[in-house]
Amino acid sequence: MALVYSYLFPVMWLSWAAYWWILSRNVKVAARREPLPSRLLHIGPLLLALLLLWVPSVPLAALGARFLPLATWPFWAGAVLAAGGLLFAVWARHHIGSNWSVAVTIKEGHELITSGPYAIVRHPIYTGLLLAFAGSAMARGEWRGVLAVAIALWALWRKLRFEERWMREQFGEAYQSYCKR
């Protein structure tokens, strides 16, 4: 099982990252961009969360203890959840198109997207990533996975609040109406 975990999850996450990187080249020009120090406050914790899930072991024994049994069902349930989360994020990324950016950004000609996955949840990329972190943590079955999900949740929550403030400034009442739906 450890060998499958060693390859399956990195392949899923790296495939997602490659897709993200390829599509990042076809986006609108930024009119306003979040400062680098602010960006690092969510990128750094997300990388730490991934590291907690990927390294073979952690120095703190309590974080390496299991919260789920070492069995096939948590692994495969986690794999399905992680794959579903990454695919949901990909659908959202595809749907938002050239309005997307890795940093909180307002684009030239920025459009408010409210259809597709954005009609289901307000932040489908973040939702998909959190599901992928949760699935990866479930498959790992150790307390460090729970910590990784908590760190990812904090980082994405911080980014989301920053992004929402800019969206309200940019789209005003249209964004408020979207939020209510």
Side-chain angles (χ1 to χ4, degrees), residues 29-105:
V29 174
R32 182 179 180 194
R33 180 181 302 272
E34 154 187 43
L36 181 60
S38 174
R39 243 178 107 192
L40 293 175
L41 283 175
H42 55 262
I43 292 173
L46 287 173
L47 291 175
L48 174 62
L50 281 173
L51 186 66
L52 279 169
L53 290 168
W54 279 7
V55 295
S57 63
V58 289
L60 293 171
L63 291 178
R66 299 198 64 79
F67 72 93
L68 287 173
L70 186 57
T72 57
W73 74 263
F75 176 83
W76 290 110
V80 168
L81 185 61
L86 291 172
L87 288 172
F88 191 68
V90 164
W91 179 35
R93 171 61 186 90
H94 178 75
H95 200 76
I96 199 170
S98 60
N99 291 295
W100 176 85
S101 67
V102 70
V104 177
T105 305

Side-chain angles (χ1 to χ4, degrees), residues 13 46 49-50 53 82 128-138 145 148-149 152 156:
W13 279 97
L46 287 173
L50 281 173
L53 290 168
L129 289 177
L130 280 173
L131 289 172
F133 272 104
S136 298
M138 177 185 262
V149 172
L156 292 172

Side-chain angles (χ1 to χ4, degrees), residues 118-155:
Y118 292 87
I120 301 169
V121 293
R122 196 158 66 217
H123 297 281
I125 292 174
Y126 303 156
T127 301
L129 289 177
L130 280 173
L131 289 172
F133 272 104
S136 298
M138 177 185 262
R140 173 67 69 187
E142 298 172 358
W143 285 106
R144 63 178 157 150
V146 175
L147 178 60
V149 172
I151 291 169
L153 177 63
W154 175 83

